[in-house]
Structure formats: C-alpha cells, structure tokens
Amino acid sequence: MKILKGIGDTVVGALPTLLRQVLLIVLAMLVATVILIITGYEALAVYRGLARGITTDIGGTLRWATPLILAGLAVAVAFRAGVWNIGVDGQLYLGAVAATAVGLTLTFLPHPVSLLTAVLAGMAAGALWALLAAFLRVQWGANEVVTTILLNFVAISFTDFLVLGPMRGTGATGTTYSTDNLLEHFWLGRIMKASQANVGLYIAIGLAILLSYLLFRTTIGYEFKIAGTNPWFARYGGISVRKVILLSMGISGAIAGLTGVIEILGVHRRFPGRFSVGLGFDGIVVALLARNHPIGVVVAGLFFGALRNGAMNMERITDVPRAMVEIIQAIIVLAVSAQFAFDIRRQRKSAEEEAEYVAEVEDEMETAQKEGEV
Amino acid sequence: MSYAVEMTSITKEFPGVVANDNVTFQVRGGEIHALVGENGAGKTTLMNVLYGLYRPDSGQIKVRGQEVTIHDPHQAIELGVGMVHQHFMLVPSLTVMENVVLGKTPTRFALIDARQANEAIMEISEQYSLAVNPQAKVYELSVGEMQRVEILKALYRGADILILDEPTAVLTPQETTELFRILRGLAEQERAIIFITHKLKEVLAISDRVTVMRNGEVTGLVETRDTDEQELARLMVGRDVVFRVEKSPVKVGEEILRVANLHTVDDRGLPALKSVSFCVRLGQIVGVAGVEGNGQTELVEVLNGLRRATDGSVHYRGTDVTQASPRKRRELGISHIPEDRLRLGVNLDCTIEENLVLNTYYQPPLARSIFLNLNKIEEYSDSLVERFNIITPTSKLPASSLSGGNMQKLVLAREMGGDPDLLIAAQPTRGVDVGAIEYIHQQIIQLRDRGHGVLLVSAELDEIMSLSDRILVMYEGEIVGDFVGGSVSEEELGLYMLGTKRMEPSEIVAS
Ligand SMILES: Nc1ncnc2c1ncn2[C@@H]1O[C@H](COP(=O)(O)OP(=O)(O)OP(=O)(O)O)[C@@H](O)[C@H]1O
Ligand SMILES: [Mg+2]
C-alpha cells in the first residue's frame, strides 16, 4: 500500500515537469510552423510528411532511439553529479573501436563470451577516456567542458587513424573507409523485420531503470546529488567530491562506450569511419529535455529518434527537404537550452567553480592526512 | 495622514502554507519601522510582495498614496522601493562599482561609463558615510562591507523606501552601530526604512514603531517608546519568553577535546590561529567570545577537519585527530553547527529530508550497504522535523522553501538529533526568533547536563555569558582571556575582545 502510494506520489510529482517539457516542445513546434510559413513552405505538408515518415517505419525510430537514449543517459548521469560530460562522442568512438578490435582479433571466442568481451572492452575504453578528463579536473582543476571537447578530437582522429591504417578493411576507399565485417557471433540480434532496431534498445531501457535505481535509491545517487548541487555542503558532511567526480565520469564514460559498442554490434556490424552523426551532442539535448531523469531520457530519446528517423524517411517519400525537420529540431534544442540557461541563472553560484575549489582543498587535506599517518 | 507605503489586506499563500493572511502594514516617510515575528511568520514574504518578487493573492498596495500593482523588482525600483535581502544578492566576481550599477548602467558608446559610475557612487557613499572602495571585487569584502554595497545599490537606484531583511544578523556590534548611524541619516531625509530583525534590543534602539507578525497575521502595532522586550516577545510568540537561561551546576567530567599549540592560515594564507591551546570537558560548555574575524571561523574549521592545521594538535578522547577526515570525526561523535548556514549548513537545492540525513544516510537502518531504505529515511527525518519543530508542510520540499530561522532549526536537528558527544556550535542562534533561541539554548544546556561537551562560538555576548561554564576570548588568532563563567562582566569581556586587555599566557589555564 505504502509502496503504491510512493509510486503514485512520484508520478504526480513528475507531472508538472512532464507537462512543462511537453509544452516546451509544442511551443517550439509553433515557432517552427511560423518559420515554415514565412519561408513559403506548406507547414501542414511538412508535418504530414513527418508523420508518415514516423508511422511507416517504427523500426527506424527504435533504431535511432537506442543510441540517443544511451548517449542521453551518459550525459545525465554525469550531470546529476554536477559534471559536464561533453565528451560522449569521443568516448563512444573509442568504445566502438575497442569492441571492433576485439571482434576482429579474438575471433575464436565462443558465442556469449565473444559478445560480453566486446561489450566490456568498449565500456572500459569509454570509461578510461572519460576518467582522463575527470582526473585532470580533480588533480589540477581543469574544466571538464574544455578537456572533454579536446579529448573528443583526439579520440575521433585516433579511430580515423586505426580505420585508415592498421584496422583498414578490404575494399575501403578514401571517403568511405571502414573495417571488415565482424563475424556473426559478435552481432547483437535485431528485434524487428526490415529494420536495424536491435537488442540494444532493451539494454538501453534496462540501463535507464538500473540508473534510476542507482540515482534515487542508493547512497551513491545521494552523494551524486549532494556533491552535484553544493560541493561545500558535501565536504562538510564527509562526502568526497573527488570520488563523486571520478565515479560519475567513469559511469558516464562506460555508458558512452556502450553506446558506440551497440552501434557497431547492433547496427553496422563493422566500424565505418566517422559513423556517429552527432550522437554525443544529441545526447546532451536528450538529457536536458529529460531534466536528467533516466526514465525521462527514454521518453526524450524515443521522441528524438522518431524525429530524426521521420525526417530521413520524409525526404524519401515526399518532396519536403529534411532540413525543414532540422529546423524544428534546432528550435527545440534552442528552447531546451534557453530553459536550462534560465535555471542556471537562477542559481546563485556556479557549483562548478565551487567544486574545483573544494577539490583543491580536499587534495591538500588528503596530503596532510597521509603525512599524518606516516 | 499619508503613508509612504500602505499595504492593505495582503494575502499570499504557498502550497500548504498561508504565509500572509490578510496583512495590513503601513509605514510613514521618515520613520524607521521594525517588522518582527517568529521564524516563518511571513515577514520576508510580505517584503517580497512589496518588492515585486511575489504577487499577492489578494490585497492592495499604495506607494505615496498611489494605488499600484508591482509586477517585478524593476517596477518596485522605479517606485523608489529598494531591498537588501536576508541573503545577499551580489555577484562575487564583479567589482563593487559593477555590482552597484548592474541593471542601471550609465553607458557611453555602449560601454560602461566607469568614470560617471564611480563619481555617482562616491557621491552617495560620501553623503551617507558608506565607506566602500568601488574598485574592490565583492568576494574580497567582509559581510559588513557587502551590506554597505547592497544599501549603496538601493540608494543608487533612487530608493526612498528601503527594506532591510535581517541586516544585522551577520554584523559585528561595531558594524551594527555603524549601520544604525547610516539608517538614522536616511530617515532624517524623510526616507522610509523597514527593518526586519530578531534582536529585540535593536528594535528598541533604532525603530520608531514596530509591527509584530505571527503565523502570517499581524498581531500588534506599537510605538517603540511605549513597549519593552517582554511585551514584544509576548506578541511574537504568544506566551511569555524566559530571557534568563536556567542552568544548574554540573560536575565536570573527563577531558573530551584538547587543543594544543594550534596554528593555521586563512584563505589568503595569512596566519589565522597562533598557538591556540585549550580543552573542553564532559559536562562543560566552553564559550569562545570575540569580534568576528579573529580566528574563530578557522578554529571551528580546523576542529572539524575542513581546514588543515599548519602546526599543533587536536586530541579527542585521548586520540590524535589532527589529520582525521570530516567523516571520521563525525563518526567519533563530534558534531558541527556551521556559521555559514547557506553554504555549509543546508543544501538549498536538496529536499529537507535529504538535508536531514547528511550524517546518517549511509548507516543502518537508513541504508544497508549502498541501498537506501527510503521508508526509514522518511520516518527518521519526519521525527526530526517534529522534534525540532521545523515548520513545513512536508519534508519533501526543497530546503530553500524554509524561512531563514527554520533552516537553522534544520541544521540543529541534524547536528543534535544524533546526541553527539561533543557539539561544536558556531553562531547557533543567528537569525532565529526569541522563542527558538530559548529552545536552542535549552537544547545546548540539556546536552551538557547529560554529560556531553560543548564548544560554543558566538558573536553574541549575551549568549556566551549566559550559557558558558568557561569563557575564552579570541583576539587576532590568539586566546587572550580565560574566565570561569559568571565571574566576569560584559564590559570586562569587551575590553579583551577589542584587544585593550590581555592575560599573560601563564594566567590562561584553559583546562
Ligand atoms: N517559495 C516558497 N515556497 C513555499 N513556501 C514558502 C516559500 N517562501 C516562504 N514559504 C513559507 O512561508 C512561510 C513564511 O516564510 P517567510 O520567509 O516569509 O518567514 P519569515 O518571517 O521571513 O521568517 P524568518 O525570520 O525565519 O526569516 C514559511 O512557512 C515558509 O516556509
Ligand atoms: Mg525571513
């Protein structure tokens, strides 16, 4: 009874937020409509085309929703702890290339072990790349927004090098370079006919539920929230802010790596160079729209998946250019970021600056403690 | 008779609370009008309505006889209403000048006209002797200076109705005297001053009239010269308040905290503690008196593991804890009520519940390994809310929805709820109403009566005098006086606090 009431309360509690986000999208669409009309397009035709694009191809929606949900979860988890992971793209590429490398070299592994090894390798690669940024932050206070962006370039160029060099497949050309196909026992199963939607979707949804549990029902989630909102308060209460930064980035990077792995094993089944079309960036938007709630990320991921896939199909089945949907998308992104910027402005101080300072002091205290133990 | 401000039948409801219930409030030009009342009585809310931050559900507002609807602070400012908030609203990384002109910037070719801005600021600051350096960055300022910047900002924007929400809560006695001088000057110019405070002595010292609120309603409007502390307290709390603390002698037990030759530096790297030594025993309240900024903050931080000692040692129950982490100290039974309530004491973005379990969330029965037991957490925090009388409709609300005094009760509940062996309390009654002060004092004394140790750091001499079994005086990072409670007068302590008198190290037994 009590549990039921608890769930009821949670749903009711989330309603205003949900309503607000839906309103935000409706508003963005209205603005987009006005722009379409002004630019001389028949707005209704665009929406009709989009609707057809979506309804005729549910599988495509799910195919795209999967990486969007995963990337969104990666961003959201770090965000909850007050850390900005803008490096999902880089971590995703490294995860993908690590899984591919396993698939190409450890071909002798039997079926479930093969998949598991590839997945773990990819997650580890993503996590390590993210931890590098986290380490720079806790050790020298380097802003992770900057470092993760820079590390993106490094990671992506590195995969370019691998795919053009040592891992280059037969028949690859300069523009469409790729590795060889992976063996079948490294593939993730497809879940719908004539679509690239794959088991990754279940993994993404399962992960969202798991993360909700982690964030709202464990001491780790509590520490993330406390340190993410007020690092001074966290330190005062004996919570190590550095631990929170490292752990949240590690988890975030592992999920980003998994995103890449699932794109490879579930969709491409080889590593096509530069396969990710802005998944990391879209992940940020998904997380913002979902206000960093894992379950919200699933909903927002499905929404953006539908939009992205619908736009691609629309171009095929009607004569409305895809750019029109991109405008709608861009306006939603703007609206979401505006709302976010507004929230940030209301906060009195940047928790980030504080966290850096706290990390510094903590560092000093730790050295002191070590000296004391000697 | 026309009023500068006339608020009639104002009602403002928040989900679950009626913060203002049919409130009528009038202020004359040229008067200093005190607004007092219990924590959560609705004072800040009423002023936020006047300043356009909240829209009242019903009621009307007249400014200088004109009926107005105030939609936002911009409009309030245009009407000449200025507000200095309970919690300062300055941008720390900007200079004083930039903060003051923010929102009303003199520009020249789209750039800030720094010269003109500076001149305007200097003019106002000279006129009212509000000494500030316009070029200083706000984060470098003391609280007293920040407050002067807030007042300056309001005056720069042309405020002739000035609201000050608990301006003296964070000031030293000297700064308070200075503030009062400024306020009198402003009142002489026919400006209306609304002054919120919990310190009844200040009400009697500075105001012309007093409006008392309780539970969202006005319970009294009196001329200051016709009233006294007792009557005001009764109007506020609805019963008689005992100002004298009842304290029976207790046999002191063994030593629980020993500080020896402690040294540390402040945030700027300057020495803040110089060879501080003392001890606290079980069943004893040791009070640390001193003008704020003489090392008390740093002392408390070192004792709680939040600042590194550069030399010396801290022993707790005989074990060396000089290098112990904050969590380790808490687990040993040391509890800490911090003076910086908004940064350390509460996390405004978290719920009341989340704030209350900060020290216990990871221990059974609230958690088993990493898994939280949300039911137990709710039970535990609800019991604290009830025991410490934190006024809120539910503990699931963010801590930012609490009134200032109720935030302090939250801190108290968290830190005293676990029955600590040693309580380190810094400014525990800052910003709380007379009824709550009485309650907090009782709690501290009960803790001592049960045989626990208390280190009390306070800028309120009254508090130190009435609670402490032993009084230490800090001046410039050193302990310059050591007295048995009750054996020294307030005047005498004052001399030590100002550094005029000091004891020889040999006289400071501190044990
Ligand atoms: N934004 C808000 N949301 C919900 N409740 C609120 C909000 N602001 C204030 N309240 C509630 O309204 C009541 C009045 O609060 P207010 O801050 O006006 O009290 P106050 O008289 O200023 O008290 P204090 O002396 O402690 O500062 C309190 O019960 C408080 O919890
Ligand atoms: Mg208030």
Side-chain angles (χ1 to χ4, degrees):
Chain A
M1 206 46 230
K2 184 135 196 205
I3 294 177
L4 271 184
K5 191 177 161 290
I7 294 174
D9 283 353
T10 318
V11 171
V12 173
L15 268 183
T17 319
L18 198 67
L19 215 69
R20 246 177 62 183
Q21 301 310 81
V22 169
L23 220 74
L24 196 73
I25 290 170
V26 171
L27 221 74
M29 289 207 156
L30 280 179
V31 176
T33 310
V34 172
I35 292 182
L36 289 179
I37 291 171
I38 292 174
T39 48
Y41 277 94
E42 210 185 315
L44 221 65
V46 175
Y47 286 123
R48 220 181 298 126
L50 187 60
R52 258 181 70 197
I54 293 170
T55 48
T56 52
D57 182 18
I58 303 294
T61 295
L62 299 181
R63 177 260 173 272
W64 282 112
T66 305
L68 288 172
I69 293 171
L70 285 168
L73 289 175
V75 175
V77 122
F79 245 140
R80 282 262 163 193
V83 184
W84 290 68
N85 186 2
I86 311 294
V88 168
D89 254 323
Q91 294 144 21
L92 172 162
Y93 269 101
L94 287 185
V97 91
T100 312
V102 167
L104 291 175
T105 52
L106 307 178
T107 46
F108 52 83
L109 291 174
H111 175 59
V113 183
S114 56
L115 269 178
L116 218 64
T117 316
V119 167
L120 288 181
M123 290 177 78
L128 286 175
W129 203 240
L131 278 173
L132 180 57
F135 177 77
L136 292 174
R137 157 86 180 263
V138 296
Q139 197 62 27
W140 291 293
N143 185 323
E144 77 277 8
V145 175
V146 178
T147 53
T148 50
I149 289 177
L150 293 177
L151 288 172
N152 273 346
F153 291 120
V154 179
I156 296 172
S157 310
F158 178 63
T159 62
D160 277 346
F161 158 75
L162 287 178
V163 181
L164 286 168
M167 291 171 70
R168 180 177 173 143
T170 45
T173 66
T175 43
T176 59
Y177 52 100
S178 160
T179 64
D180 282 330
N181 281 339
L182 296 177
L183 293 179
E184 202 162 332
H185 63 278
F186 280 99
W187 293 3
L188 280 174
R190 299 263 162 91
I191 55 174
M192 274 178 105
K193 275 210 192 78
S195 130
Q196 292 175 319
N198 59 74
V199 178
L201 180 69
Y202 303 145
I203 299 180
I205 293 172
L207 193 63
I209 295 170
L210 196 73
L211 284 179
S212 306
Y213 196 86
L214 181 86
L215 289 175
F216 304 120
R217 299 194 162 230
T218 67
T219 54
I220 297 172
Y222 177 83
E223 289 173 4
F224 277 19
K225 179 164 186 195
I226 297 287
T229 45
N230 180 345
W232 298 104
F233 181 77
R235 199 165 83 86
Y236 155 81
I239 295 170
S240 164
V241 181
R242 332 169 97 230
K243 193 184 108 190
V244 166
I245 292 175
L246 290 169
L247 188 60
S248 61
M249 266 305 243
I251 296 176
S252 175
I255 300 173
L258 182 65
T259 314
V261 174
I262 286 176
E263 280 295 283
I264 299 301
L265 306 187
V267 178
H268 305 292
R269 286 151 181 195
R270 61 196 172 108
F271 188 109
R274 305 253 168 170
F275 67 88
S276 156
V277 265
L279 283 175
F281 177 75
D282 287 356
I284 298 173
V285 180
V286 167
L288 287 182
L289 184 63
R291 312 215 113 206
N292 304 316
H293 194 298
I295 303 302
V297 165
V298 173
V299 178
L302 283 168
F303 174 71
F304 274 97
L307 217 55
R308 186 189 261 239
N309 182 59
M312 280 155 67
N313 287 339
M314 182 179 75
E315 210 169 34
R316 272 209 304 264
I317 53 187
T318 70
D319 59 354
V320 186
R322 179 164 127 197
M324 287 300 107
V325 176
E326 277 166 12
I327 291 181
I328 300 177
Q329 244 172 351
I331 291 172
I332 294 175
V333 170
L334 277 179
V336 172
S337 352
Q339 179 196 26
F340 179 71
F342 183 73
D343 283 352
I344 282 280
R345 232 185 47 176
R346 282 197 317 200
Q347 288 177 4
R348 295 149 310 280
K349 257 185 206 157
S350 120
E352 197 184 311
E353 267 173 39
E354 291 183 0
E356 266 159 36
Y357 181 73
V358 168
E360 248 171 61
V361 181
E362 257 180 22
D363 193 24
E364 194 187 298
M365 297 294 302
E366 253 164 48
T367 338
Q369 270 155 35
K370 283 197 197 95
E371 279 167 16
E373 276 156 23
V374 174
Chain B
M1 161 111 226
S2 101
Y3 290 102
V5 176
E6 201 173 353
M7 303 176 81
T8 321
S9 309
I10 300 284
T11 296
K12 172 74 197 173
E13 215 171 313
F14 290 113
V17 230
V18 187
N20 287 160
D21 189 359
N22 204 10
V23 171
T24 294
F25 178 67
Q26 295 155 328
V27 187
R28 300 179 185 133
E31 86 167 328
I32 300 182
H33 194 116
L35 181 58
V36 300
E38 280 181 295
N39 295 127
K43 307 176 295 290
T44 301
T45 305
L46 185 68
M47 290 303 107
N48 283 343
V49 166
L50 179 57
Y51 194 56
L53 285 168
Y54 293 149
R55 283 283 214 90
D57 302 329
S58 64
Q60 40 167 295
I61 305 175
K62 284 186 183 172
V63 173
R64 282 176 236 94
Q66 288 277 332
E67 182 158 348
V68 291
T69 334
I70 306 177
H71 297 279
D72 54 32
H74 277 290
Q75 214 178 338
I77 291 163
E78 261 163 40
L79 288 166
V81 178
M83 181 156 176
V84 177
H85 294 273
Q86 193 163 1
H87 313 127
F88 296 149
M89 306 231 170
L90 301 170
V91 187
S93 54
L94 296 184
T95 65
V96 169
M97 185 267 280
E98 287 161 338
N99 265 286
V100 169
V101 301
L102 211 68
K104 195 182 168 190
T105 318
T107 49
R108 223 172 120 200
F109 312 123
L111 294 171
I112 295 187
D113 188 342
R115 222 189 38 165
Q116 195 190 331
N118 269 332
E119 271 170 19
I121 292 172
M122 291 315 287
E123 197 181 302
I124 301 171
S125 87
E126 259 162 47
Q127 191 178 350
Y128 300 101
S129 324
L130 279 157
V132 286
N133 169 11
Q135 298 316 323
K137 296 257 196 233
V138 162
Y139 66 77
E140 302 169 333
L141 303 182
S142 71
V143 248
E145 286 170 317
M146 279 193 226
Q147 182 156 62
R148 288 203 282 275
V149 177
E150 287 274 16
I151 296 176
L152 207 84
K153 188 167 156 184
L155 293 177
Y156 173 78
R157 294 164 164 192
D160 54 12
I161 297 160
L162 187 64
I163 306 164
L164 298 126
D165 195 351
E166 293 192 38
T168 58
V170 291
L171 299 188
T172 64
Q174 287 79 356
E175 284 171 328
T176 302
T177 316
E178 178 66 20
L179 174 70
F180 284 0
R181 199 186 48 67
I182 295 165
L183 294 186
R184 286 209 187 84
L186 291 170
E188 267 162 32
Q189 299 206 337
E190 282 307 294
R191 291 181 208 252
I193 314 277
I194 302 168
F195 183 87
I196 301 179
T197 183
H198 286 293
K199 301 182 187 170
L200 299 180
K201 289 207 172 73
E202 292 179 355
V203 173
L204 297 175
I206 183 98
S207 70
D208 302 307
R209 291 196 304 157
V210 192
T211 295
V212 187
M213 288 184 73
R214 174 148 52 96
N215 264 335
E217 295 174 44
V218 169
T219 51
L221 171 61
V222 290
E223 296 278 336
T224 307
R225 58 173 126 64
D226 300 337
T227 190
D228 58 27
E229 265 186 89
Q230 278 301 336
E231 187 194 16
L232 287 176
R234 200 165 45 241
L235 284 171
M236 278 169 70
V237 191
R239 62 177 166 86
D240 281 315
V241 175
V242 198
F243 286 97
R244 276 246 59 83
V245 184
E246 299 298 329
K247 216 176 75 173
S248 52
V250 165
K251 210 170 134 282
V252 294
E254 61 188 81
E255 193 174 288
I256 182 161
L257 180 76
R258 170 162 287 281
V259 173
N261 278 319
L262 204 61
H263 289 256
T264 196
V265 290
D266 64 15
D267 285 339
R268 289 165 297 176
L270 303 173
L273 292 181
K274 300 169 205 158
S275 206
V276 168
S277 304
F278 65 89
C279 95
V280 179
R281 292 175 172 279
L282 291 172
Q284 189 183 40
I285 300 177
V286 176
V288 178
V291 176
E292 267 184 87
N294 276 283
Q296 299 96 316
T297 306
E298 287 80 5
L299 173 65
V300 170
E301 284 176 353
V302 170
L303 293 182
N304 288 292
L306 298 173
R307 183 178 293 275
R308 184 183 175 174
T310 49
D311 197 6
S313 68
V314 181
H315 281 81
Y316 176 78
R317 289 190 182 279
T319 35
D320 188 341
V321 295
T322 321
Q323 311 295 347
S325 70
R327 173 150 298 170
K328 177 88 186 153
R329 293 179 208 229
R330 285 177 177 284
E331 284 173 351
L332 287 171
I334 306 178
S335 191
H336 173 199
I337 298 176
E339 63 172 31
D340 190 347
R341 186 191 305 157
L342 288 177
R343 203 164 66 165
L344 289 190
V346 293
N347 185 330
L348 296 173
D349 299 322
C350 287
T351 63
I352 295 164
E353 191 174 281
E354 286 163 336
N355 270 280
L356 282 170
V357 298
L358 180 68
N359 303 332
T360 41
Y361 72 93
Y362 62 96
Q363 295 164 333
L366 302 193
R368 197 144 293 152
S369 81
I370 64 160
F371 303 106
L372 297 173
N373 184 335
L374 297 187
N375 286 333
K376 283 278 186 309
I377 287 182
E378 183 174 339
E379 264 171 44
Y380 175 76
S381 63
D382 283 351
S383 74
L384 284 180
V385 165
E386 188 167 322
R387 219 177 106 198
F388 287 84
N389 194 21
I390 302 170
I391 297 166
T392 174
T394 141
S395 60
K396 307 277 187 218
L397 286 180
S400 55
S401 74
L402 291 176
S403 78
N406 277 296
M407 282 184 202
Q408 184 66 3
K409 288 195 206 161
L410 184 160
V411 178
L412 207 77
R414 184 182 63 225
E415 298 304 318
M416 294 187 68
D419 206 29
D421 293 335
L422 173 67
L423 174 70
I424 300 175
Q427 322 293 354
T429 56
R430 177 170 281 172
V432 303
D433 65 54
V434 280
I437 290 177
E438 186 188 11
Y439 176 77
I440 293 172
H441 285 174
Q442 276 165 5
Q443 291 290 316
I444 291 178
I445 287 176
Q446 277 172 23
L447 198 68
R448 156 215 188 244
D449 289 352
R450 285 201 305 272
H452 304 242
V454 178
L455 182 72
L456 170 74
V457 177
S458 175
E460 303 290 331
L461 260 190
D462 281 353
E463 183 161 273
I464 293 280
M465 301 274 297
S466 57
L467 290 183
S468 311
D469 299 308
R470 165 151 234 120
I471 301 174
L472 306 175
V473 185
M474 279 189 79
Y475 178 72
E476 294 194 336
E478 289 176 89
I479 291 183
V480 295
D482 175 8
F483 308 91
V484 173
S487 73
V488 57
S489 69
E490 211 170 311
E491 290 70 33
E492 180 82 356
L493 275 184
L495 293 176
Y496 282 87
M497 283 167 62
L498 294 174
T500 329
K501 276 180 91 168
R502 64 183 301 160
M503 286 182 174
E504 288 303 312
S506 59
E507 292 173 84
I508 301 173
V509 256
S511 58

